[in-house]
Amino acid sequence: MAKTRINTVLIIAHRGASGEYPENSTLAIKKAIEQGADGIEIDIQHHRASGEFIVFHDRDLSRLTSKLGTINNFTLDELLQTTIGQEQTIITLEQAIALIPEDILLNIELKISASEQSIIDLVIKKLERVLRNAVSHNKIKWSQLYISSFNHYLIQSGSLVLPKVQFAALIAHCPLNYAQFSEKMQLSGVNQDIDCLNQELVNDIHQRGLSCWVYTVDNIDDIEKCLLYKVDAIFTNFPQQTRDKVNTICH
């Protein structure tokens, strides 16, 4: 479906078109692209035994699958055969990248909590290898790639190793001194929770030369707030519906 844009705010499909299809699945990603999303957001976990990154939000499998335990209680083959609804199975980061057309952004959220530098270095090195391989094989361009995380230690290290990738710090609060924390990292943006969004924080982010992307925005009141505050992108579970609402508000 062609993108009909009236406002410049980017529409980022949160875990794909996850309001209608299994989150972080091949189907959700494909449907979000069909619905004209500007970008896809996925979550990745590091599977220790295989060294692979799997596209899955939770450490624990029980919310979305019939399995009990964390991802590291299972082999990679077992995970990739695990169904998550609508005949979809868990996929790897490489498989997700292969789905992304050249005009679509990919926001990779790293779901890794470690602060030990040795672990962070290991994860970033493995991620660098995956992304460099994908770029070298023309699966994706550096300019399409965004990496975000609530783990700011990881963001700080990753931005040094992967300077061609845009990094964003995730937050879910309104910090003292607003976005001053960003000065300690090489960021392109701050990704903020809609429940803690205010105009002063958005202004401060923009005054620092950073973009402000907001999650997770589905209802009309939240969309109107984001447009009023002039945020740069919104993460939504319903990309087509949200774009239609944006266009209606701005018409």
Side-chain angles (χ1 to χ4, degrees):
M1 179 177 295
K3 301 172 187 176
T4 303
R5 181 189 303 282
I6 295 175
N7 188 276
T8 59
V9 68
L10 296 174
I11 304 297
I12 311 296
H14 181 244
R15 308 177 197 170
S18 58
E20 301 172 87
Y21 307 97
E23 64 181 54
N24 284 313
S25 68
T26 295
L27 183 61
I29 293 171
K30 286 183 175 180
K31 289 296 184 180
I33 293 167
E34 289 178 11
Q35 292 179 17
D38 296 298
I40 306 294
E41 184 265 355
I42 59 172
D43 308 288
I44 63 170
Q45 304 270 358
H46 181 237
H47 184 247
R48 291 195 297 265
S50 66
E52 295 284 346
F53 293 97
I54 66 164
V55 183
F56 202 76
H57 180 272
D58 303 350
R59 288 188 306 109
D60 190 277
L61 295 172
S62 60
R63 179 173 66 89
L64 293 177
T65 80
S66 60
K67 288 184 168 63
L68 298 178
T70 70
I71 62 168
N72 286 303
N73 294 135
F74 299 90
T75 67
L76 181 62
D77 285 343
E78 288 172 332
L79 291 171
L80 299 184
Q81 294 171 21
T82 300
T83 58
I84 54 176
Q86 298 184 38
E87 301 182 346
Q88 298 297 293
T89 56
I90 295 173
I91 60 175
T92 65
L93 174 58
E94 291 96 329
Q95 290 172 318
I97 289 173
L99 300 171
I100 307 300
E102 63 180 13
D103 61 337
I104 300 291
L105 304 174
L106 178 62
N107 186 121
I108 301 168
E109 181 181 338
L110 289 170
K111 308 294 288 188
I112 296 162
S113 61
S115 60
E116 298 91 335
Q117 194 61 47
S118 60
I119 296 176
I120 289 175
D121 289 345
L122 175 66
V123 170
I124 292 297
K125 183 177 180 180
K126 290 181 177 179
L127 181 59
E128 179 192 21
R129 186 161 57 243
V130 171
L131 296 181
R132 287 193 183 280
N133 183 64
V135 171
S136 67
H137 287 84
N138 297 315
K139 301 293 185 182
I140 201 162
K141 300 189 295 289
W142 290 117
S143 59
Q144 294 175 256
L145 290 167
Y146 287 67
I147 293 176
S148 62
S149 183
F150 285 102
N151 187 339
H152 295 182
Y153 289 99
L154 191 151
I155 292 295
Q156 185 178 44
S157 295
S159 62
L160 298 176
V161 176
L162 291 163
K164 294 182 180 180
V165 176
Q166 299 191 65
F167 280 79
L170 275 158
I171 60 172
H173 65 300
C174 183
L176 293 173
N177 300 317
Y178 299 117
Q180 184 176 342
F181 69 89
S182 66
E183 295 174 1
K184 298 181 179 180
M185 294 173 278
Q186 296 184 30
L187 298 179
S188 65
V190 174
N191 293 358
Q192 164 71 329
D193 182 0
I194 183 64
D195 291 332
C196 301
L197 188 70
N198 58 65
Q199 186 69 76
E200 291 77 13
L201 176 59
V202 176
N203 290 347
D204 189 68
I205 291 170
H206 284 159
Q207 286 166 9
R208 296 174 187 276
L210 305 174
S211 62
C212 179
W213 293 16
V214 180
Y215 67 94
T216 303
V217 181
D218 292 327
N219 71 59
I220 192 71
D221 290 340
D222 288 343
I223 294 170
E224 288 178 341
K225 178 188 290 188
C226 287
L227 295 176
L228 177 65
Y229 293 171
K230 299 187 185 305
V231 308
D232 302 287
I234 53 181
F235 296 91
T236 177
N237 298 315
F238 300 92
Q240 182 60 63
Q241 293 179 29
T242 297
R243 185 181 297 285
D244 290 343
K245 290 175 182 177
V246 168
N247 288 344
T248 296
I249 293 168
C250 296
H251 192 274

